Amino acid sequence: MRMYLLIPVCAVALAVPVTVLANGGGRGFNGVVDAIESQYHVHATRIPFMGLISFVASRASHGAAGNLHVAEFENFSADVDGQELNRMVEQKLGNGWERVVRETSKAGHEQSLIFMRPEGARMGLFVVDKDSNEMDVVQVSVDPQHINEEVGHYTHHHGSNDASHDDSDSDKDKN
């Protein structure tokens, strides 16, 4: 009889840690979103079919961007302490992320945090942006080399126009 009682007790004893570990303590993108929801009593709108959208973005950008996650908080009227938000995001993101931008308006109505981390040949970006009554949380993985090449095309093209424009101006000055 004791043997049959031991089986459910062991099952529960094993299920509790597995459930806690599966939740992961709320780390990463979902951890940050969940913490914001809990701290400020707001609900995030998560974009449906985000996996499909991320796949399409990766294909459309020829691999420059992928692993896209987006959550939007509308009607976010709470004042946000910049230090508190920064601390919460750093804690929930976990190791490897480094904050590169923190901007807070004097009244606290606008907050921007940008974090980065290396992901092999790619770079992970995590952005939290609060503007008036809206907050957006975005995570994306980008290929910096590919983006640098794309920006280079525009910079080079733009630079050529400037050079030819400058030459024509100097020719006018000579006449």
Side-chain angles (χ1 to χ4, degrees), residues 117-135:
R117 77 170 174 190
E119 297 176 345
R122 302 178 70 78
M123 183 63 63
L125 296 173
F126 192 92
V127 179
V128 178
D129 184 57
K130 181 185 183 298
D131 187 12
S132 296
N133 291 330
E134 183 176 298
M135 180 182 276

mmCIF file of all heavy atoms in Angstrom, residues 117-135:
data_model
loop_
_atom_site.group_PDB
_atom_site.id
_atom_site.type_symbol
_atom_site.label_atom_id
_atom_site.label_comp_id
_atom_site.label_asym_id
_atom_site.label_seq_id
_atom_site.Cartn_x
_atom_site.Cartn_y
_atom_site.Cartn_z
ATOM 1 N N ARG A 117 24.086 42.209 -27.488
ATOM 2 C CA ARG A 117 24.915 41.074 -27.088
ATOM 3 C C ARG A 117 25.377 40.352 -28.350
ATOM 4 O O ARG A 117 24.658 40.291 -29.354
ATOM 5 C CB ARG A 117 24.185 40.115 -26.165
ATOM 6 C CG ARG A 117 23.211 39.208 -26.869
ATOM 7 C CD ARG A 117 22.686 38.127 -25.952
ATOM 8 N NE ARG A 117 21.659 37.385 -26.666
ATOM 9 C CZ ARG A 117 20.878 36.517 -26.107
ATOM 10 N NH1 ARG A 117 20.981 36.255 -24.835
ATOM 11 N NH2 ARG A 117 19.975 35.882 -26.817
ATOM 12 N N PRO A 118 26.587 39.804 -28.315
ATOM 13 C CA PRO A 118 27.053 39.021 -29.464
ATOM 14 C C PRO A 118 26.319 37.691 -29.514
ATOM 15 O O PRO A 118 26.042 37.064 -28.491
ATOM 16 C CB PRO A 118 28.546 38.811 -29.179
ATOM 17 C CG PRO A 118 28.734 39.109 -27.735
ATOM 18 C CD PRO A 118 27.595 39.946 -27.279
ATOM 19 N N GLU A 119 25.974 37.272 -30.713
ATOM 20 C CA GLU A 119 25.310 35.983 -30.943
ATOM 21 C C GLU A 119 26.048 35.291 -32.089
ATOM 22 O O GLU A 119 25.527 35.185 -33.191
ATOM 23 C CB GLU A 119 23.829 36.175 -31.280
ATOM 24 C CG GLU A 119 23.030 36.805 -30.161
ATOM 25 C CD GLU A 119 21.570 37.085 -30.509
ATOM 26 O OE1 GLU A 119 21.205 37.056 -31.699
ATOM 27 O OE2 GLU A 119 20.798 37.330 -29.566
ATOM 28 N N GLY A 120 27.275 34.883 -31.827
ATOM 29 C CA GLY A 120 28.099 34.309 -32.883
ATOM 30 C C GLY A 120 28.485 35.402 -33.854
ATOM 31 O O GLY A 120 29.028 36.436 -33.463
ATOM 32 N N ALA A 121 28.187 35.204 -35.139
ATOM 33 C CA ALA A 121 28.483 36.211 -36.158
ATOM 34 C C ALA A 121 27.408 37.296 -36.189
ATOM 35 O O ALA A 121 27.535 38.274 -36.909
ATOM 36 C CB ALA A 121 28.577 35.551 -37.533
ATOM 37 N N ARG A 122 26.365 37.129 -35.412
ATOM 38 C CA ARG A 122 25.252 38.072 -35.391
ATOM 39 C C ARG A 122 25.306 38.916 -34.115
ATOM 40 O O ARG A 122 26.070 38.655 -33.205
ATOM 41 C CB ARG A 122 23.927 37.321 -35.492
ATOM 42 C CG ARG A 122 23.848 36.472 -36.760
ATOM 43 C CD ARG A 122 22.566 35.695 -36.835
ATOM 44 N NE ARG A 122 21.392 36.523 -37.059
ATOM 45 C CZ ARG A 122 21.036 37.028 -38.233
ATOM 46 N NH1 ARG A 122 21.769 36.778 -39.307
ATOM 47 N NH2 ARG A 122 19.952 37.757 -38.360
ATOM 48 N N MET A 123 24.446 39.922 -34.056
ATOM 49 C CA MET A 123 24.344 40.791 -32.890
ATOM 50 C C MET A 123 22.887 40.838 -32.459
ATOM 51 O O MET A 123 22.000 41.090 -33.280
ATOM 52 C CB MET A 123 24.818 42.201 -33.249
ATOM 53 C CG MET A 123 24.830 43.178 -32.108
ATOM 54 S SD MET A 123 25.965 42.762 -30.776
ATOM 55 C CE MET A 123 27.530 42.843 -31.577
ATOM 56 N N GLY A 124 22.647 40.566 -31.176
ATOM 57 C CA GLY A 124 21.302 40.668 -30.630
ATOM 58 C C GLY A 124 21.045 42.086 -30.161
ATOM 59 O O GLY A 124 21.900 42.711 -29.540
ATOM 60 N N LEU A 125 19.870 42.604 -30.483
ATOM 61 C CA LEU A 125 19.458 43.933 -30.036
ATOM 62 C C LEU A 125 18.171 43.796 -29.243
ATOM 63 O O LEU A 125 17.262 43.063 -29.651
ATOM 64 C CB LEU A 125 19.214 44.870 -31.223
ATOM 65 C CG LEU A 125 20.398 45.210 -32.093
ATOM 66 C CD1 LEU A 125 19.955 46.004 -33.313
ATOM 67 C CD2 LEU A 125 21.412 46.012 -31.296
ATOM 68 N N PHE A 126 18.080 44.504 -28.141
ATOM 69 C CA PHE A 126 16.884 44.492 -27.312
ATOM 70 C C PHE A 126 16.558 45.944 -26.997
ATOM 71 O O PHE A 126 17.390 46.669 -26.452
ATOM 72 C CB PHE A 126 17.126 43.707 -26.023
ATOM 73 C CG PHE A 126 15.868 43.427 -25.266
ATOM 74 C CD1 PHE A 126 15.173 42.252 -25.478
ATOM 75 C CD2 PHE A 126 15.370 44.335 -24.357
ATOM 76 C CE1 PHE A 126 14.007 41.982 -24.790
ATOM 77 C CE2 PHE A 126 14.203 44.078 -23.662
ATOM 78 C CZ PHE A 126 13.514 42.895 -23.881
ATOM 79 N N VAL A 127 15.350 46.388 -27.372
ATOM 80 C CA VAL A 127 14.974 47.783 -27.232
ATOM 81 C C VAL A 127 13.693 47.890 -26.404
ATOM 82 O O VAL A 127 12.722 47.182 -26.674
ATOM 83 C CB VAL A 127 14.741 48.444 -28.616
ATOM 84 C CG1 VAL A 127 14.315 49.894 -28.460
ATOM 85 C CG2 VAL A 127 15.977 48.322 -29.486
ATOM 86 N N VAL A 128 13.721 48.777 -25.410
ATOM 87 C CA VAL A 128 12.522 49.138 -24.659
ATOM 88 C C VAL A 128 12.358 50.632 -24.871
ATOM 89 O O VAL A 128 13.268 51.411 -24.585
ATOM 90 C CB VAL A 128 12.672 48.833 -23.157
ATOM 91 C CG1 VAL A 128 11.427 49.273 -22.397
ATOM 92 C CG2 VAL A 128 12.940 47.357 -22.927
ATOM 93 N N ASP A 129 11.197 51.034 -25.400
ATOM 94 C CA ASP A 129 10.973 52.440 -25.707
ATOM 95 C C ASP A 129 9.595 52.854 -25.215
ATOM 96 O O ASP A 129 8.590 52.308 -25.659
ATOM 97 C CB ASP A 129 11.100 52.691 -27.211
ATOM 98 C CG ASP A 129 10.969 54.159 -27.542
ATOM 99 O OD1 ASP A 129 11.745 54.960 -26.995
ATOM 100 O OD2 ASP A 129 10.081 54.506 -28.352
ATOM 101 N N LYS A 130 9.557 53.794 -24.285
ATOM 102 C CA LYS A 130 8.293 54.343 -23.787
ATOM 103 C C LYS A 130 8.187 55.771 -24.267
ATOM 104 O O LYS A 130 9.086 56.577 -24.058
ATOM 105 C CB LYS A 130 8.228 54.297 -22.264
ATOM 106 C CG LYS A 130 6.901 54.843 -21.728
ATOM 107 C CD LYS A 130 6.892 54.898 -20.220
ATOM 108 C CE LYS A 130 5.554 55.357 -19.688
ATOM 109 N NZ LYS A 130 5.148 56.687 -20.084
ATOM 110 N N ASP A 131 7.086 56.063 -24.925
ATOM 111 C CA ASP A 131 6.843 57.409 -25.419
ATOM 112 C C ASP A 131 5.413 57.778 -25.044
ATOM 113 O O ASP A 131 4.463 57.182 -25.558
ATOM 114 C CB ASP A 131 7.041 57.453 -26.933
ATOM 115 C CG ASP A 131 6.977 58.859 -27.489
ATOM 116 O OD1 ASP A 131 7.016 59.818 -26.704
ATOM 117 O OD2 ASP A 131 6.862 59.000 -28.720
ATOM 118 N N SER A 132 5.269 58.731 -24.151
ATOM 119 C CA SER A 132 3.971 59.160 -23.631
ATOM 120 C C SER A 132 3.210 57.973 -23.066
ATOM 121 O O SER A 132 3.612 57.414 -22.073
ATOM 122 C CB SER A 132 3.172 59.878 -24.717
ATOM 123 O OG SER A 132 3.849 61.052 -25.096
ATOM 124 N N ASN A 133 2.125 57.569 -23.722
ATOM 125 C CA ASN A 133 1.260 56.504 -23.204
ATOM 126 C C ASN A 133 1.435 55.182 -23.935
ATOM 127 O O ASN A 133 0.499 54.376 -23.995
ATOM 128 C CB ASN A 133 -0.202 56.935 -23.260
ATOM 129 C CG ASN A 133 -0.495 58.043 -22.277
ATOM 130 O OD1 ASN A 133 0.138 58.133 -21.228
ATOM 131 N ND2 ASN A 133 -1.436 58.902 -22.604
ATOM 132 N N GLU A 134 2.597 54.953 -24.504
ATOM 133 C CA GLU A 134 2.843 53.707 -25.227
ATOM 134 C C GLU A 134 4.251 53.221 -24.925
ATOM 135 O O GLU A 134 5.181 54.014 -24.837
ATOM 136 C CB GLU A 134 2.690 53.941 -26.731
ATOM 137 C CG GLU A 134 2.854 52.707 -27.554
ATOM 138 C CD GLU A 134 2.601 52.978 -29.031
ATOM 139 O OE1 GLU A 134 1.482 53.366 -29.392
ATOM 140 O OE2 GLU A 134 3.555 52.815 -29.815
ATOM 141 N N MET A 135 4.382 51.908 -24.763
ATOM 142 C CA MET A 135 5.699 51.316 -24.570
ATOM 143 C C MET A 135 5.839 50.155 -25.537
ATOM 144 O O MET A 135 4.920 49.348 -25.680
ATOM 145 C CB MET A 135 5.906 50.814 -23.140
ATOM 146 C CG MET A 135 7.287 50.192 -22.921
ATOM 147 S SD MET A 135 7.532 49.530 -21.260
ATOM 148 C CE MET A 135 8.023 51.003 -20.396
#
